[in-house]
């Protein structure tokens, strides 16, 4: 029966999530069990596309990405795929009718193969919309169980949260992105001589995104609120670490949050969540 194959497909996406991101796996576990599976399916798809453009340099990445996109559309049209990641993902895309969000995501993935520098604000924001904001919107649609009115109310905040997460990833991965992948995402910033002023400007922009995102988090359904708030606090802690180090240090190592600190963040988030004191 196909439900056995669908469950097996989902298990594969879950394993990808656990293998690639302990932090995201922890955040998903803070969500209601009713919505966890759909988020695993979304992450599995997004992670595979990311891996094609970020780490498969020894292969024909352009061909792999094209085939991945073609196979997704086949999966969507047929409502089945022998690729377990695509099979799990197409179920979610059909369930919430959000094919329109997949298209800009794949466009940004293709930009990672063909575009190395972002010279204008418009280019930068367009890339972030496709690579991060739409992923936040996919998750939001799951969180609100397909309620379009609720989705429209929270859409702006979800996009800001996606943008904040992405910009922090840009900062913490500057060395790898620039030296290995040859990418420079921040417009008007010389990554060879990242200045304190450049860092402050980027941090202030992220803090503004977070401020707007928090309003939306407070209004999420209870099934999603704690998990999203935990992810928010985790990324906020990363931003605080970045604020307190010299720009030169960002250029030589990837900033991380230790396992003990992660557990502390979860515990503190849990207390604040239940006291309805989310800051």
């Amino acid at each position: 029966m196909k439900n056995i194959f669908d469950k097996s497909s989902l298990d594969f996406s879950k394993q990808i999530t656990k293998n690639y991101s302990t932090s995201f796996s922890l955040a998903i576990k803070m969500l209601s069990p009713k919505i966890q599976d759909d988020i695993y399916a979304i992450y599995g798809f997004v992670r595979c596309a990311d891996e094609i453009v970020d780490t498969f340099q020894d292969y024909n990445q352009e061909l792999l990405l094209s085939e991945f996109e073609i196979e997704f559309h086949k999966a969507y049209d047929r409502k089945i795929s022998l690729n377990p990641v695509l099979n799990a993902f197409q179920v979610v895309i059909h369930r919430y009718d959000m094919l329109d969000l997949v298209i800009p995501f794949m466009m940004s993935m293709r930009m990672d193969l063909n575009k190395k520098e972002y010279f204008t604000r418009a280019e930068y924001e367009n890339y972030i919309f496709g690579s991060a904001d739409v992923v936040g919107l996919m998750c939001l649609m799951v969180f609100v169980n397909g309620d379009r009115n609720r989705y429209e109310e929270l859409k702006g905040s979800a996009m800001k949260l996606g943008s904040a997460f992405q910009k922090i990833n840009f900062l913490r991965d500057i060395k790898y992105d620039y030296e290995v992948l040859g990418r420079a995402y921040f417009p008007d910033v010389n990554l060879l001589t990242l200045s304190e002023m450049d860092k402050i400007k980027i941090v202030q922009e992220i803090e503004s995104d977070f401020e707007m995102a928090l309003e939306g988090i407070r209004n999420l359904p209870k099934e999603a609120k704690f998990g999203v708030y935990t992810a928010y606090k985790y990324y906020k802690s990363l931003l605080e670490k970045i604020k307190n180090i010299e720009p030169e240090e960002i250029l030589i190592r990837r900033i991380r949050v230790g396992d003990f600190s992660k557990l502390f963040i979860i515990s503190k988030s849990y207390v604040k969540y239940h006291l309805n004191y989310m800051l």
Side-chain angles (χ1 to χ4, degrees), residues 25-184:
S25 295
L26 280 171
I28 292 178
K29 289 176 182 176
M30 306 301 144
L31 300 170
S32 166
K34 292 188 294 184
I35 59 177
Q36 287 181 16
D37 287 353
D38 289 346
I39 302 303
Y40 279 124
I42 291 170
Y43 184 88
F45 175 82
V46 170
R47 172 50 59 188
C48 284
D50 272 340
E51 288 305 302
I52 290 171
V53 300
D54 285 352
T55 63
F56 294 172
Q57 291 94 343
D58 293 336
Y59 303 89
N60 187 331
Q61 293 167 288
E62 188 81 40
L63 178 62
L64 288 174
L65 188 64
S66 293
E67 290 180 343
F68 186 69
E69 186 170 14
I70 290 168
E71 288 304 313
F72 162 71
H73 284 287
K74 286 181 182 177
Y76 181 81
D77 291 340
R78 297 169 178 172
K79 298 186 178 180
I80 191 171
S81 174
L82 294 182
N83 178 321
V85 169
L86 296 181
N87 188 59
F89 186 62
Q90 65 83 18
V91 170
V92 176
I93 296 303
H94 276 292
R95 180 176 294 141
Y96 299 101
D97 188 22
M98 49 186 184
L99 180 62
D100 60 313
L101 297 177
V102 181
I103 294 168
F105 173 75
M106 293 306 300
M107 287 177 63
S108 283
M109 292 301 96
R110 199 163 295 284
M111 288 169 73
D112 270 335
L113 292 181
N114 301 316
K115 189 169 181 60
K116 298 302 182 183
E117 288 188 71
Y118 291 79
F119 297 104
T120 69
R121 186 78 191 176
E123 290 178 334
Y124 170 68
E125 291 177 352
N126 185 51
Y127 174 80
I128 290 177
F129 172 75
S131 65
D133 294 0
V134 297
V135 178
L137 293 177
M138 289 180 201
C139 294
L140 175 63
M141 187 61 80
V142 174
F143 297 157
V144 300
N145 194 30
D147 184 328
R148 288 283 170 178
N149 291 331
R150 197 92 181 267
Y151 173 83
E152 289 299 327
E153 290 172 6
L154 298 171
K155 181 178 178 179
S157 295
M159 290 171 63
K160 287 296 182 182
L161 188 62
S163 291
F165 287 176
Q166 183 69 295
K167 291 168 190 175
I168 290 172
N169 287 335
F170 287 163
L171 276 175
R172 68 193 297 225
D173 292 333
I174 275 182
K175 178 180 172 62
Y176 182 83
D177 284 341
Y178 189 71
E179 294 183 0
V180 178
L181 302 177
R183 299 179 194 153

Side-chain angles (χ1 to χ4, degrees), residues 1-9:
M1 296 177 67
K2 186 172 180 291
N3 63 333
I4 297 176
F5 181 65
D6 287 345
K7 182 184 180 302
S8 300
S9 297

Side-chain angles (χ1 to χ4, degrees), residues 125-267:
E125 291 177 352
N126 185 51
Y127 174 80
I128 290 177
F129 172 75
S131 65
D133 294 0
V134 297
V135 178
L137 293 177
M138 289 180 201
C139 294
L140 175 63
M141 187 61 80
V142 174
F143 297 157
V144 300
N145 194 30
D147 184 328
R148 288 283 170 178
N149 291 331
R150 197 92 181 267
Y151 173 83
E152 289 299 327
E153 290 172 6
L154 298 171
K155 181 178 178 179
S157 295
M159 290 171 63
K160 287 296 182 182
L161 188 62
S163 291
F165 287 176
Q166 183 69 295
K167 291 168 190 175
I168 290 172
N169 287 335
F170 287 163
L171 276 175
R172 68 193 297 225
D173 292 333
I174 275 182
K175 178 180 172 62
Y176 182 83
D177 284 341
Y178 189 71
E179 294 183 0
V180 178
L181 302 177
R183 299 179 194 153
Y185 291 107
F186 297 111
D188 302 320
V189 173
N190 185 342
L191 297 185
L192 291 175
T193 57
L194 182 68
S195 69
E196 181 66 20
M197 189 61 66
D198 287 332
K199 189 192 82 169
I200 290 172
K201 183 180 176 182
I202 296 167
V203 166
Q204 287 176 341
E205 183 179 309
I206 296 170
E207 288 177 330
S208 176
D209 288 339
F210 270 142
E211 186 176 339
M212 296 179 68
L214 185 58
E215 289 303 309
I217 294 172
R218 292 188 179 116
N219 291 299
L220 282 172
K222 67 180 188 305
E223 291 85 358
K225 190 181 295 185
F226 177 51
V228 178
Y229 181 65
T230 300
Y232 162 85
K233 292 298 289 184
Y234 168 73
Y235 269 89
K236 282 275 284 187
S237 69
L238 277 173
L239 186 63
E240 287 302 313
K241 292 192 78 167
I242 289 169
K243 283 173 66 175
N244 293 322
I245 63 174
E246 296 298 321
E248 294 81 7
E249 194 169 351
I250 298 173
L251 296 175
I252 61 174
R253 72 179 181 93
R254 193 173 193 263
I255 308 304
R256 298 179 181 274
V257 173
D259 290 341
F260 179 79
S261 296
K262 289 177 186 176
L263 291 174
F264 179 74
I265 289 166
I266 292 171
S267 301

